[in-house]
Amino acid sequence: MFDSPQVQLLMRLPLPRSFANYVGREVFRFLLTVRGLGAFALITLGVMLAKFGAARQVVHPLVLCETARAGLSVLPMFMLLSAALGLLVVGHAIMWLTTVGAINYLGAIMVMVVVRELGPLICALLVLARSGTANVIELGTARALGEVEALEALGIDPVHYLVVPRVVGMALGVFSLTVCLILGTLVSGYFWAFLQDVALQPRAYFEQLAVSLTGLDFLLVGLKTLSFGFIIAIVTCYHGLAHPLHLEEVSRAAVRAVAQSVVAIALTEAAFIVFYLAG
Amino acid sequence: MEDVTLGSIQDPRRVVAEGINWTVAVGDYWVVAGGQGAGKTDLFMMAGGLMAPLSGRYRLFGEDMPIFEAARLKGRLRVGLVFDGGQLLHRLTVRENVALPLCYHHHLTEAQAQPRVQAMLDWLDLGPWADNTPATMPRNWQKRAGLARALILRPEALLADNPLGGLDVLQRSWWLAIFEQLSKGHGVMEGRPVTLAVSAADLRPWRRHARLFAILKNQRLTVLGGWEQVEKAEADVLHGVLEERHLE
């Protein structure tokens, strides 16, 4: 059907102008967003370096507060989640591994699925949902109410006061939550295996885990989680702060920030997979 | 300010006023009057160093403004800015809002900043509201807290955007008395007189208080001088900021 002369003729025709305009606009908007986010990330990094240790009496408590908000306060939810994730992975793994008589690979599967992939990804998405959206709303409201101008009038760099603590706090929060989630899932995984009467001693299970883990895994988990935290903080702070907002625009900014964070996290995850496979 | 073209803080490309020539000397007490939308807030935002003029030259204490470089920041902190609505940080209490610039610039903990903050809060009768967040306070008290925050670094000049807007008679008297004390020099400010520039929608309350007057109208800043010059000014210049019967 697609080879018919009529379809071929149709495909050679120029696109309707409105559709081309639409695609062009979207591409242009995407490029502008990438440029804006890139510039904002560079400015933030520049401020972090230039003002490292400056006004520590004000900024350090803010960093602690943001770390607690992005990390510690969501720990109970993550413990519950780690139990559920352990059940999910172990439940499926045991069913298939028992069928093919390869139960000795349980540790390797846990490392591959939980440590390398699901742990950091799930943590990043949950921190985005819980703390990232709050970031946009808080900063967007602050912007709309003129608080950014108030900070500037007081000679306080808004990026130093509002963004840097969130970036550091969120990066540390995602990292520490991922470590907790991974540990919780690995332990709960064995618990679920034990409940399913799998003939696997705890020592053998943890030996399997230890053998499967490499130095690269530790490095990648660290890099990945810190990158995810940085990305979430940058995208959400950018949408809350970078443009003058009216109060009614804050919710739309939050939706945009979440969508763009998810895309950025997925692309970063893909880059890490490529890096890992190539390594 | 020399031949300054003023942009809008919301849309910096939009011209709000042009050809502004205005010199404020140390110790002056100015009132800039104008109707709603005349650009008073934009003028004060620019004067406070939050945006650059679209053209022309603006110097503060001999330094070209605006100052964004950290190395020149000390020069910019010689001027304080009081916003129309106070613009307090909504997550902080009044005490924390007032302490913030002190802790940030002078590297003090909140406990170390406390004596100076408390003295400022007491002077401005803000003690009962010290541990309230802005959302739990009436707007006029938020303005006062904004004044306390602007004064805590002991600036040499103070810009106050529409301080009397929406206040009752008692509150207005309080603000006028405080400006009077600032202009003469108060102990909280180490006895040094503060150069004042305030914006207003109505000139009448300032008649016996301010020393110099200007009108921002039709995209022009008309510098009048003392009250005698205000009384001699043409009616159309004063229309909207002073009722004609007050000129009689």
Side-chain angles (χ1 to χ4, degrees):
Chain A
M1 177 189 156
F2 289 103
D3 295 323
S4 67
Q6 289 87 349
V7 172
Q8 289 295 319
L9 177 69
L10 201 63
M11 287 177 75
R12 280 200 295 275
L13 285 173
L15 286 166
R17 182 175 290 272
S18 59
F19 182 69
N21 282 351
Y22 170 77
V23 172
R25 260 200 316 273
E26 290 304 307
V27 170
F28 197 60
R29 192 175 296 166
F30 172 76
L31 292 175
L32 282 177
T33 303
V34 170
R35 192 186 69 165
L37 283 170
F40 191 73
L42 289 176
I43 289 169
T44 305
L45 284 173
V47 171
M48 282 171 87
L49 290 174
K51 294 188 190 275
F52 186 77
R56 65 181 62 184
Q57 286 82 357
V58 173
V59 177
H60 285 194
L62 287 175
V63 170
L64 286 179
C65 175
E66 292 299 331
T67 309
R69 201 167 68 141
L72 204 61
S73 65
V74 280
L75 198 57
M77 183 175 82
F78 272 69
M79 288 295 99
L80 184 71
L81 193 73
S82 65
L85 192 62
L87 170 67
L88 181 93
V89 178
V90 164
H92 280 283
I94 285 176
M95 190 174 79
W96 288 102
L97 292 176
T98 315
T99 309
V100 297
I103 199 65
N104 289 340
Y105 287 99
L106 182 61
I109 286 178
M110 290 299 277
V111 167
M112 193 168 61
V113 176
V114 177
V115 178
R116 286 179 202 155
E117 303 303 336
L118 280 186
L121 194 62
I122 286 177
C123 278
L125 293 177
L126 284 177
V127 169
L128 168 66
R130 200 173 186 281
S131 306
T133 44
N135 252 358
V136 191
I137 290 163
E138 269 182 24
L139 295 180
T141 309
R143 181 84 214 232
L145 294 177
E147 291 178 20
V148 173
E149 284 79 9
L151 285 172
E152 284 175 348
L154 295 167
I156 297 173
D157 184 345
V159 174
H160 189 217
Y161 183 77
L162 296 173
V163 181
V164 170
R166 284 175 166 83
V167 169
V168 177
M170 217 160 246
L172 291 177
V174 175
F175 172 74
S176 48
L177 280 178
T178 305
V179 171
C180 292
L181 183 81
I182 287 172
L183 290 175
T185 306
L186 295 179
V187 172
S188 77
Y190 181 77
F191 177 70
W192 295 117
F194 175 76
L195 288 183
Q196 290 182 55
D197 286 333
V198 175
L200 188 63
Q201 291 299 311
R203 184 175 173 175
Y205 173 71
F206 287 107
E207 272 177 3
Q208 283 180 27
L209 292 177
V211 167
S212 307
L213 281 169
T214 63
L216 190 62
D217 287 317
F218 290 100
L219 179 69
L220 281 182
V221 166
L223 283 177
K224 208 189 255 192
T225 49
L226 292 175
S227 310
F228 286 164
F230 181 78
I231 287 169
I232 295 168
I234 288 294
V235 176
T236 52
C237 291
Y238 171 77
H239 282 282
L241 271 189
H243 302 292
L245 287 175
H246 296 291
L247 276 177
E248 67 274 16
E249 294 169 324
V250 174
S251 58
R252 281 200 298 274
V255 172
R256 266 199 311 274
V258 169
Q260 288 175 14
S261 297
V262 169
V263 171
I265 288 169
L267 291 175
T268 311
E269 173 75 27
F272 272 106
I273 291 173
V274 170
F275 176 74
Y276 186 83
L277 294 178
Chain B
M1 293 180 196
E2 291 171 28
D3 200 21
V4 161
T5 303
L6 173 68
S8 157
I9 191 86
Q10 294 294 333
D11 176 11
R13 286 164 300 182
R14 187 168 67 83
V15 173
V16 171
E18 45 197 346
I20 298 175
N21 290 292
W22 185 30
T23 304
V24 177
V26 172
D28 277 357
Y29 184 170
W30 280 88
V31 172
V32 178
Q36 276 199 340
K40 303 186 297 291
T41 299
D42 296 313
L43 178 67
F44 276 56
M45 297 287 138
M46 191 198 72
L50 299 191
M51 62 174 174
L54 293 177
S55 67
R57 191 175 197 200
Y58 170 41
R59 288 164 70 84
L60 180 79
F61 297 112
E63 292 252 20
D64 275 313
M65 289 283 273
I67 293 170
F68 294 121
E69 305 89 350
R72 293 170 61 215
L73 190 64
K74 213 172 172 183
R76 184 170 149 196
L77 294 178
R78 292 169 74 183
V79 65
L81 180 59
V82 184
F83 292 85
D84 187 3
Q87 257 82 329
L88 301 173
L89 305 190
H90 66 275
R91 280 175 74 181
L92 305 182
T93 62
V94 168
R95 189 189 303 282
E96 289 164 342
N97 263 289
V98 176
L100 177 64
L102 205 54
C103 296
Y104 189 90
H105 293 295
H106 293 208
H107 312 294
L108 301 179
T109 61
E110 270 190 39
Q112 289 167 330
Q114 188 56 27
R116 204 159 132 185
V117 171
Q118 193 59 48
M120 183 62 73
L121 294 176
D122 290 342
W123 180 45
L124 300 180
D125 304 330
L126 279 164
W129 299 98
D131 297 315
N132 282 59
T133 53
T136 61
M137 295 166 68
R139 191 166 176 270
N140 55 339
W141 289 95
Q142 291 184 35
K143 275 192 183 192
R144 275 197 203 194
L147 174 67
R149 190 180 60 182
L151 290 175
I152 197 72
L153 291 177
R154 293 176 180 152
E156 292 164 51
L158 184 74
L159 303 163
D161 184 21
N162 199 17
L164 304 191
L167 300 184
D168 60 29
V169 176
L170 276 177
Q171 292 281 344
R172 270 198 275 175
S173 305
W174 181 90
W175 277 84
L176 290 168
I178 286 291
F179 283 134
E180 199 75 39
Q181 292 177 41
L182 282 171
S183 178
K184 287 177 180 161
H186 188 275
V188 171
M189 304 299 288
E190 296 175 318
R192 195 182 54 229
V194 177
T195 306
L196 292 170
V198 299
S199 72
D202 183 358
L203 279 177
R204 285 171 294 171
W206 303 94
R207 182 177 180 175
R208 297 183 206 289
H209 299 277
R211 290 192 283 275
L212 295 157
F213 299 86
I215 309 280
L216 187 60
K217 195 174 177 184
N218 301 331
Q219 297 198 323
R220 293 275 160 194
L221 182 77
T222 309
V223 175
L224 298 173
W227 188 258
E228 306 76 42
Q229 279 75 34
V230 173
E231 288 180 329
K232 286 176 194 160
E234 290 174 18
D236 66 323
V237 173
L238 298 173
H239 180 71
V241 293
L242 193 67
E243 287 178 21
E244 283 176 19
R245 63 187 166 85
H246 283 271
L247 294 172
E248 290 165 2

